[in-house]
Amino acid sequence: MSTLTLFIVIVFVIGYLCIALESLTKVNKAAIALLMCVFCWTLLMMGPESYYPGIAADGILGHIAEVIEHHLGDAAGTLFFLMGAMTIVEIVDSNGGFNFVRDVMKTRSKRKLMWRVAFMTFFLSAILDNLTTSIVMIMVLRKLVQAREERLIYAALIIISANSGGAFSPIGDVTTIMLWIKGVITTQGVITEIFIPSLVSMVIPAFILQYSLKGKFEKSQNLPKSEVSQFTKKQRNVIFWLGVGGLVFVPIFKTITHLPPFMGILLVLGLLWTVTEIFHHNTSEDDTMAKRVSDLLSKIDLATIMFFLGILMAVAVLQEVGVLTALGEGLNTAFSGNYYLINGIIGVLSSIVDNVPLVAGCMGMYPVAAEGAMAVDGIFWQLLAYCAGVGGSMLIIGSAAGVVVMGLEKITFGWYMKRITWIAFVGYLAGIISYWLLDSFIF
């Protein structure tokens, strides 16, 4: 490792520690992420020729500009998807679209609510995706649990359940989408063989977390509150099905048009925006301004968006200087043939750095074989889908679901690490063991 690369890694580690210690430093994590991003790219620019030896000296600056634009484009696609999904869910929620979901889940028993939240999040994340599902479930949770300390426990379980549910579906997580599109896993293969490990990785943490909650909610807290809505029940249902049905349609739209997922989100947002404006024609401007889409856009948590941007672009530097690739090759050399250990470690790493470049690096390093562990639906690829998805639950910034819940509920890195990390890790290991048992004795 060159001196410059070492400095880049040191800056990343220091920035990461500052993000982890946000509750002590009192400096917003978004500010640290942006500084970390700029410092890492600045260091790369001090010796770019060592990272791009095949590029002529007079063309290297232009090449780096293209590289940055490429990574920024990837990050922007994720950010626009996130902003669009958050806005869609906010529109549906503010107009009473999630009332029936809340009614189905409501119970005065704190533990019963926990299990209902866990299973609904788990299965919804396989249909929508773990990011969108997390936003939906947090919105519903806010209507049911007012005590902050209790709501944080439910929110942590939403992160774990969303990541576990996304891992067994080809459209449930960005990494499974990548593996599915590349053709190394199939829909039938990943569902039949990863479903039970994913379920185990959710059930065990839920079982442990239920002991943090005792008794029942106050009757006035957990029962649905009457909400004044300018829309009729039929109009609210239209908004709900347009919003949630549109989110389900996004992967179908991508398959049909081959456009990036954020384009599908923008399509749904545009349709929903148009429909709500039409509905508002017959209502008073004073009564409805707070629920118009143009006003709801101001509720988007830009600090979370900036944090996501900083993290993604900082990780891109590690990818450019070859740190992630070297890490993968090192794992392959150290644990040659033991795919459980290799993927287990990749899963742990995915809770520290973004799992997308990790999975992308693995797809580039390991060729698809005709048979064996590296074949389509082989042990390696299925374990990679499970570990990269579920492993992100171990730290709150290890997954898109964690980052968005962190922003919505203002959960600190330290609280999550102290209270939830070990629980998520136990579930993660249990899922790997269950996969081994299934592979050894059933499949």
Side-chain angles (χ1 to χ4, degrees):
M1 183 183 290
S2 69
T3 303
L4 193 55
T5 302
L6 182 61
F7 278 128
I8 291 172
V9 172
I10 289 172
V11 168
F12 185 88
V13 170
I14 292 173
Y16 193 86
L17 286 175
C18 290
I19 290 169
L21 299 173
E22 180 189 12
S23 58
L24 295 178
T25 63
K26 306 300 181 185
V27 178
N28 191 288
K29 62 186 180 295
I32 300 298
L34 293 175
L35 288 174
M36 180 171 67
C37 159
V38 175
F39 287 160
C40 285
W41 279 105
T42 302
L43 285 170
L44 183 148
M45 291 300 291
M46 291 182 178
E49 61 281 348
S50 60
Y51 300 115
Y52 307 103
I55 307 297
D58 58 346
I60 197 164
L61 293 180
H63 177 73
I64 292 175
E66 292 177 0
V67 167
I68 293 175
E69 288 174 1
H70 169 74
H71 287 296
L72 182 60
D74 289 343
T78 303
L79 297 179
F80 277 113
F81 184 94
L82 173 60
M83 288 190 291
M86 290 172 73
T87 306
I88 290 167
V89 172
E90 188 70 47
I91 294 168
V92 176
D93 179 62
S94 65
N95 289 292
F98 290 128
N99 287 358
F100 90 94
V101 178
R102 178 202 62 192
D103 294 343
V104 167
M105 290 179 59
K106 81 173 192 303
T107 172
R108 288 190 60 200
S109 170
K110 295 178 181 179
R111 290 184 178 178
K112 281 184 180 178
L113 179 62
M114 168 164 278
W115 285 105
R116 291 179 186 183
V117 166
F119 278 101
M120 184 166 284
T121 304
F122 181 80
F123 287 107
L124 270 181
S125 66
I127 300 170
L128 301 177
D129 64 69
N130 49 12
L131 176 64
T132 307
T133 300
S134 299
I135 301 170
V136 170
M137 293 307 296
I138 289 295
M139 293 297 186
V140 173
L141 187 64
R142 285 177 175 176
K143 297 178 181 295
L144 296 173
V145 183
Q146 274 71 55
R148 174 167 168 75
E149 188 61 31
E150 290 179 345
R151 197 164 71 239
L152 292 186
I153 295 171
Y154 287 105
L157 183 60
I158 285 173
I159 295 171
I160 294 171
S161 302
N163 287 332
S164 295
F168 81 88
S169 165
I171 61 171
D173 187 88
V174 178
T175 52
T176 55
I177 290 173
M178 290 166 60
L179 294 167
W180 178 53
I181 290 174
K182 187 175 175 63
V184 294
I185 60 172
T186 64
T187 301
Q188 181 181 356
V190 74
I191 291 176
T192 54
E193 298 190 37
I194 301 298
F195 173 74
I196 292 178
S198 296
L199 186 63
V200 168
S201 71
M202 179 274 287
V203 169
I204 288 181
F207 181 78
I208 297 171
L209 281 172
Q210 71 174 343
Y211 293 102
S212 302
L213 299 167
K214 296 178 181 179
K216 296 185 176 182
F217 294 106
E218 294 292 332
K219 188 174 182 180
S220 60
Q221 170 177 306
N222 192 243
L223 291 179
K225 296 176 174 58
S226 59
E227 297 177 0
V228 178
S229 176
Q230 298 296 319
F231 293 155
T232 64
K233 184 178 180 180
K234 184 178 180 180
Q235 287 174 323
R236 290 199 300 270
N237 287 339
V238 169
I239 290 172
F240 173 80
W241 289 113
L242 262 181
V244 176
L247 292 172
V248 174
F249 176 71
V250 169
I252 300 172
F253 179 80
K254 180 185 183 301
T255 303
I256 296 171
T257 64
H258 303 290
L259 288 169
F262 78 89
M263 294 296 286
I265 283 288
L266 295 181
L267 169 65
V268 178
L269 178 57
L271 285 172
L272 199 56
W273 196 336
T274 301
V275 169
T276 54
E277 289 294 304
I278 292 171
F279 286 169
H280 278 307
H281 281 169
N282 298 323
T283 57
S284 167
E285 182 71 20
D286 293 335
D287 293 335
T288 62
M289 180 54 76
K291 294 184 179 181
R292 284 189 181 275
V293 177
S294 53
D295 190 66
L296 292 175
L297 287 171
S298 64
K299 293 186 178 182
I300 296 297
D301 189 350
L302 284 180
T304 298
I305 301 297
M306 291 294 102
F307 169 71
F308 218 166
L309 175 63
I311 284 289
L312 290 175
M313 291 301 288
V315 170
V317 180
L318 298 185
Q319 189 178 2
E320 284 299 311
V321 301
V323 170
L324 296 182
T325 303
L327 193 59
E329 291 172 348
L331 287 173
N332 198 32
T333 303
F335 306 106
S336 182
N338 193 330
Y339 301 116
Y340 288 92
L341 267 177
I342 292 173
N343 280 302
I345 293 171
I346 288 172
V348 173
L349 289 174
S350 75
S351 69
I352 300 171
V353 298
D354 187 58
N355 56 6
V356 173
L358 275 179
V359 171
C362 289
M363 289 194 300
M365 284 175 353
Y366 302 108
V368 183
E371 57 183 17
M374 292 291 180
V376 175
D377 280 335
I379 292 174
F380 178 81
W381 300 114
Q382 290 194 339
L383 270 176
L384 182 60
Y386 169 83
C387 293
V390 178
S393 299
M394 284 183 273
L395 292 177
I396 196 166
I397 63 173
S399 65
V403 170
V404 75
V405 172
M406 184 184 197
L408 290 172
E409 287 298 319
K410 303 296 183 284
I411 301 175
T412 64
F413 184 98
W415 180 90
Y416 191 93
M417 191 171 186
K418 181 180 178 181
R419 297 285 301 273
I420 308 298
T421 294
W422 72 272
I423 297 174
F425 182 66
V426 169
Y428 173 70
L429 283 182
I432 294 176
I433 292 169
S434 67
Y435 179 84
W436 174 77
L437 291 172
L438 289 169
D439 184 68
S440 300
F441 301 106
I442 298 178
F443 295 114

